[in-house]
Amino acid sequence: MSFLEVRDLCLDLGEFELSGIGMRAEKGDYLALIGPSGSGKSLLLETVIGFYGLEKGRIFLEGRDITDLPPDKRQISIVYQDHVLFPHMDVFENIAYALRKKLKDKTLIEAEVRQIAGVLGIGELLHRKPSTLSGGEKQRAALARSLVVRPKLLLLDEPFSALDARTREKLRDMLRKAISEYSTTVLHVTHDFEDIWALANRVVVIRKGEVMQEGDPESVFRKPSPDFVAEFLGTNVLKGKVKALEGKLTVLESEGLEIYSADPGKPGEEITVSVRPEEIILARGAVESSARNTLKGRVAGIFKKEHLVVVELRTGNTELKAVITPTSCELLDLEPGSEIYAVFKAANARIIREPEGSRGNCVGNLDGNLDRNLDRNLDGNLGCNCEAKAAAEQG
Amino acid sequence: MQPVKYVQVKTSFVEHSWFRSATIGIACFFTFLLFMAVGTLLLVLKPSELLSALLSEEMIYSMKLSMLTSSVSTLTVLGCSVPTAYALSRFDFPGKSLIKAVLGLPMAFPELVMGLALLLLFGHGFLGPVLEALGIKVIFSKLGIVVAQFFVAFPYAVRIIYSTFEDINPRYEQVSRSFGYGEFETFRNVTLPMARSGLFASTVITFARCIGAFGAVLILAGGSYMHTEVLPVTLYLNISYGNLEMAITSGVLLMVIAFLAILIFERFEGGKL
């Protein structure tokens, strides 16, 4: 049996619902739970920790059935987005409070508090009241409080989403250090893709209270399962047909475009292709490059999304979205109507197949939802990609 | 850098409708009347008259009894309303909405009727004989004052404390539970300290309601001279004898207490401790 095992978990609170969630984690795993708002991710955490009773299903931790244990007997800690530090205690008291049930010796408690404070860099803040701390400091104090008891399982409910990008990055580093030092198993609910890249070794995608996909980040991101996952990841989705095979590449015809993909396919097969917006390079002219796909189009729209720019371009019978940095946007001198080439590698044109008997296709939806999903992504893993891309575009 | 200058835009009154003027006018007029009424009460007596009435044997007795009974009722009310409010705020149990409805009743219920109901409950028909057998006498006794004050103030206290608990995110308690603390330990260590300003505010309001309770006290404890005579009863008895100085003095006392209570309440309500 796995370290943590959730079996067929069902709970209906009206607004949120879990229906038959099954999930497992090994000791030391870092599981990222992703899914749109209202998908029941947070509720899942709160049932695992025992704040809500279950209608059906069992939860096992270290092979022991903890389904009916009250939260104070489970040895699971949680950190929320709004940190939930006790306002009437200073930082030291907050952390020590967590320990008092475990340790009685005052000097031991103090030593433990100082140790975790050192790891998370809040040694200077121990005498301060939570209301006087910045967002990042509060969150570090909350992490310290949850980690200091060395919980069997640490639950993080979007702990960084209220923080700015730099603080987030710093906190991720600290968190990574702390959990390896305290060898903790983590379930982390997030909207931020960088959390997943930086921290998680497994990803679980949840929608409407159901597990949609599960796997290591690489496979989930590179091979999004059809429908929902692709939608959530905010990718370009094109419907088409396999035209021919050319060496190791598959030639696809889709929306009046010819696209090369590195994924295998059978001629005549109906498929869906996904191209992630941050993997499209924009160029003013048809450049000679290692990328097999060069699509000519016209800029249909330019939108700012946080610190990045989304460019919509019309090509063939469809529209593609690409994400670039504001600098590259300026360098390319883009404006609606200008002629532009979208360049991407064959390896980045992912073929998605609907599994047998899945519900009807959602391509129409996918397009509409792209915008909404994109801004979540933009925060995330695009940062580094875009720098590289900007260099490519300038070069 | 140039300091930013804010230009104040003068709004003309021309555009304002009669409706705006009417609402403001009514607000000013009746507040002014109220203010005048309070002023008259405070200023009508000469300081020497006020002082001699204050030091009269009856007034001292009434003040002492008022303070004593109100303190006892306030403590009892708090002791009962904190658990009641917590249960209503945090737990689901059968009959919860019924309890809420019953607790809401006295707000719209005339105090006099409440007194009558209590008189019947503690009278000869129902609980009276049982309590009498135990040597407890509620009707026409000082204990009756406390009982009447309790029932007048309890629903209000529950309401204030309930909203205080509702304002505390249950996550604080859940986090405390996750560190191994039980429900009661969590209540004592986390909820109560976080609710302290709301508790303080409700203490003050409860005390003010207890000391001002009249109708129910009069009927249950039967305002008899120098026996079950609390400040509102003193006012009532003396005004019926035509003894204005005494009546006004007890009025002034009640007014000052109420005013202080409101002041403290405003200061502490909303966690500004």
Side-chain angles (χ1 to χ4, degrees):
Chain A
M1 185 180 276
S2 302
F3 178 72
L4 169 75
E5 201 162 317
V6 172
R7 279 192 207 152
D8 191 27
L9 200 137
C10 294
L11 177 64
D12 189 355
L13 291 183
E15 199 180 347
F16 298 107
E17 188 187 359
L18 302 175
S19 40
I21 293 252
M23 199 175 65
R24 49 179 67 209
E26 298 306 329
K27 196 166 169 55
D29 264 355
Y30 195 116
L31 237 74
L33 303 174
I34 59 174
S37 317
S39 58
K41 307 174 304 265
S42 302
L43 182 61
L44 175 60
L45 290 193
E46 293 189 319
T47 50
V48 169
I49 200 170
F51 297 159
Y52 290 104
L54 298 179
E55 280 159 16
K56 210 178 125 202
R58 307 307 296 170
I59 304 170
F60 296 89
L61 187 62
E62 288 185 320
R64 188 166 153 229
D65 187 343
I66 60 164
T67 319
D68 299 319
L69 284 184
D72 41 311
K73 301 272 184 281
R74 296 194 183 194
Q75 296 184 45
I76 300 176
S77 292
I78 191 162
V79 175
Y80 287 105
Q81 179 185 339
D82 48 352
H83 63 80
V84 197
L85 292 168
F86 304 124
H88 57 289
M89 303 179 190
D90 62 20
V91 174
F92 181 90
E93 273 304 307
N94 260 290
I95 303 174
Y97 180 77
L99 270 176
R100 292 234 164 81
K101 271 278 154 179
K102 233 180 126 185
L103 299 175
K104 296 293 164 206
D105 182 16
K106 275 201 173 136
T107 49
L108 262 178
I109 291 179
E110 174 148 7
E112 286 282 338
V113 173
R114 300 233 172 257
Q115 191 197 340
I116 188 74
V119 175
L120 289 166
I122 49 170
E124 307 295 308
L125 309 172
L126 288 177
H127 61 279
R128 301 251 299 265
K129 277 276 169 77
S131 56
T132 68
L133 303 178
S134 73
E137 290 167 342
K138 281 179 193 162
Q139 214 47 276
R140 273 186 277 163
L143 278 173
R145 184 178 63 176
S146 291
L147 274 171
V148 77
V149 291
R150 298 171 194 271
K152 289 181 179 164
L153 195 60
L154 176 66
L155 310 181
L156 305 174
D157 191 356
E158 300 190 39
F160 307 140
S161 53
L163 308 173
D164 62 86
R166 285 183 78 169
T167 315
R168 242 180 307 198
E169 190 134 335
K170 199 169 117 193
L171 270 179
R172 265 185 220 116
D173 283 345
M174 286 179 162
L175 175 65
R176 200 182 312 117
K177 222 171 60 192
I179 55 177
S180 75
E181 199 154 316
Y182 284 74
S183 52
T184 317
T185 310
V186 184
L187 298 189
H188 183 158
V189 164
T190 182
H191 274 311
D192 186 339
F193 285 62
E194 209 160 319
D195 284 343
I196 301 173
W197 288 128
L199 298 164
N201 68 335
R202 295 209 19 239
V203 180
V204 176
V205 186
I206 294 175
R207 180 173 73 160
K208 289 186 185 156
E210 282 178 68
V211 173
M212 302 298 292
Q213 193 181 5
E214 216 185 323
D216 60 286
E218 186 69 19
S219 71
V220 170
F221 279 80
R222 295 291 152 181
K223 289 247 187 200
S225 70
D227 184 3
F228 164 66
V229 176
E231 170 193 346
F232 181 67
L233 302 182
T235 179
N236 290 302
V237 180
L238 308 169
K239 293 227 84 170
K241 215 159 96 180
V242 178
K243 204 164 91 179
L245 301 177
E246 218 182 275
K248 285 188 174 174
L249 298 181
T250 311
V251 188
L252 313 166
E253 191 176 287
S254 163
E255 317 275 359
L257 299 169
E258 195 165 82
I259 295 170
Y260 290 85
S261 167
D263 289 350
K266 285 192 236 73
E269 191 188 1
E270 299 271 343
I271 43 83
T272 307
V273 195
S274 142
V275 185
R276 297 186 45 74
E278 68 274 19
E279 286 168 345
I280 296 179
I281 290 171
L282 296 181
R284 295 250 38 165
V287 286
E288 292 274 326
S289 73
S290 60
R292 281 305 299 268
N293 294 295
T294 304
L295 306 175
K296 188 174 163 186
R298 280 191 186 280
V299 176
I302 301 172
F303 311 96
K304 270 201 91 79
K305 280 276 163 80
E306 313 239 337
H307 52 284
L308 293 166
V309 178
V310 179
V311 180
E312 276 183 357
L313 56 128
R314 272 217 77 78
T315 171
N317 309 321
T318 188
E319 270 185 6
L320 288 180
K321 288 192 169 70
V323 180
I324 57 175
T325 59
T327 329
S328 352
C329 185
E330 235 166 78
L331 281 171
L332 286 166
D333 192 22
L334 289 180
E335 52 187 49
S338 32
E339 194 169 90
I340 196 82
Y341 289 85
V343 182
F344 54 92
K345 292 184 180 174
N348 289 334
R350 290 279 150 193
I351 295 178
I352 319 176
R353 287 183 182 84
E354 311 255 332
E356 305 266 319
S358 79
R359 58 196 148 267
N361 75 65
C362 296
V363 178
N365 273 343
L366 295 182
D367 251 359
N369 288 330
L370 199 57
D371 269 355
R372 184 167 50 75
N373 294 318
L374 207 51
D375 54 54
R376 290 197 207 125
N377 301 347
L378 289 185
D379 261 13
N381 61 332
L382 300 189
C384 49
N385 256 332
C386 285
E387 297 311 311
K389 225 159 46 139
E393 277 153 16
Q394 284 159 35
Chain B
M1 247 193 29
Q2 283 270 316
V4 185
K5 278 182 197 155
Y6 292 99
V7 183
Q8 215 166 26
V9 181
K10 278 189 185 159
T11 48
S12 79
F13 282 90
V14 181
E15 305 158 37
H16 293 167
S17 64
W18 61 269
F19 178 70
R20 179 186 290 222
S21 318
T23 51
I24 295 173
I26 291 172
C28 291
F29 180 68
F30 287 100
T31 315
F32 180 70
L33 272 189
L34 192 67
F35 186 73
M36 289 279 286
V38 174
T40 324
L41 178 72
L42 291 176
L43 296 175
V44 79
L45 286 186
K46 286 198 219 86
S48 57
E49 287 171 321
L50 193 73
L51 197 68
S52 71
L54 264 182
L55 295 177
S56 70
E57 196 189 350
E58 185 189 353
M59 190 62 75
I60 288 177
Y61 180 90
S62 162
M63 264 196 294
K64 273 188 184 161
L65 188 63
S66 265
M67 293 308 267
L68 181 73
T69 52
S70 302
S71 304
V72 173
S73 344
T74 303
L75 286 180
T76 327
V77 165
L78 282 179
C80 297
S81 58
V82 169
T84 306
Y86 192 74
L88 290 178
S89 159
R90 289 295 191 266
F91 305 130
D92 275 320
F93 50 92
K96 178 172 163 176
S97 49
L98 185 73
I99 291 182
K100 273 183 160 173
V102 171
L103 280 173
L105 261 182
M107 305 257 193
F109 222 59
E111 230 192 286
L112 223 53
V113 182
M114 168 81 117
L116 184 62
L118 289 174
L119 183 67
L120 293 174
L121 176 68
F122 289 105
H124 294 297
F126 297 93
L127 287 178
V130 183
L131 290 172
E132 211 152 315
L134 295 167
I136 300 169
K137 193 168 178 291
V138 175
I139 297 175
F140 305 134
S141 72
K142 295 189 174 63
L143 181 61
I145 302 176
V146 173
V147 171
Q149 288 175 340
F150 177 89
F151 281 101
V152 167
F154 180 68
Y156 289 87
V158 169
R159 191 157 276 215
I160 298 173
I161 299 174
Y162 173 78
S163 75
T164 306
F165 285 149
E166 284 288 286
D167 283 347
I168 297 174
N169 191 336
R171 281 183 177 176
Y172 286 101
E173 294 163 5
Q174 291 169 342
V175 164
S176 165
R177 294 292 305 280
S178 76
F179 295 133
Y181 293 88
E183 279 182 340
F184 176 65
E185 285 171 309
T186 293
F187 176 71
R188 198 187 54 202
N189 294 329
V190 175
T191 320
L192 273 188
M194 285 182 73
R196 69 192 189 286
S197 56
L199 291 177
F200 190 75
S202 76
T203 310
V204 173
I205 285 296
T206 303
F207 187 79
R209 282 212 67 79
C210 286
I211 214 163
F214 172 63
V217 173
L218 186 71
I219 294 199
L220 192 64
S224 57
Y225 177 75
M226 298 278 276
H227 172 58
T228 54
E229 184 179 349
V230 283
L231 282 174
V233 174
T234 310
L235 194 154
Y236 171 72
L237 289 178
N238 281 289
I239 211 142
S240 39
Y241 307 150
N243 192 351
L244 266 184
E245 279 103 36
M246 286 294 282
I248 292 170
T249 307
S250 47
V252 168
L253 271 177
L254 285 169
M255 188 65 111
V256 168
I257 291 167
F259 188 69
L260 283 177
I262 290 297
L263 216 66
I264 298 173
F265 179 78
E266 289 289 325
R267 173 79 178 73
F268 288 106
E269 176 66 327
K272 293 186 285 282
L273 199 66

